[in-house]
Amino acid sequence: MLPLSHETANIFGFAGMACIIFVYAYITGRVRPNPFVQHGVNLLGACLLTVSLLVNMNPPSLVLEGFWAAIAIWGLAKAFRARRQGSCNARHNEPEART
């Protein structure tokens, strides 16, 4: 248990819920959502909800947030890898400078 009041924990929980609702609307409304926004906000939401759940214990929801965070971290890792490969591919596809 964390040394937070139930009220403070609820504020964390509502903030996490707002993050997850925001990102759901964001990915629904975008043709090509930014994966860093998508997964980063999901991870933030999962972390905030986890803080709330550590005070107001609900084991099934706590497990769900663990999976939610793990999937968000996986998505962020894929996005970082894709960005790095894209910048490497862009460098290889540039025409050579004439001398």
Side-chain angles (χ1 to χ4, degrees):
M1 296 269 287
L2 295 176
L4 295 175
S5 69
H6 289 285
E7 293 80 18
T8 302
N10 284 338
I11 292 170
F12 276 86
F14 278 115
M17 177 202 65
C19 288
I20 290 176
I21 290 171
F22 163 78
V23 83
Y24 185 63
Y26 171 76
I27 63 172
T28 300
R30 294 279 181 141
V31 174
R32 295 183 64 195
N34 181 321
F36 296 100
V37 172
Q38 177 183 352
H39 300 300
V41 174
N42 264 327
L43 180 58
L44 176 61
C47 290
L48 291 169
L49 281 162
T50 297
V51 169
S52 175
L53 289 167
L54 290 173
V55 174
N56 303 309
M57 186 55 71
N58 180 339
S61 292
L62 189 61
V63 170
L64 174 66
E65 294 311 320
F67 279 104
W68 200 271
I71 292 167
I73 291 168
W74 176 37
L76 283 170
K78 285 180 58 178
F80 278 114
R81 244 189 332 267
R83 181 199 286 174
R84 186 177 48 224
Q85 289 172 350
S87 64
C88 289
N89 289 339
R91 270 189 257 127
H92 291 295
N93 291 332
E94 291 176 3
E96 292 183 13
R98 295 180 189 212
T99 55

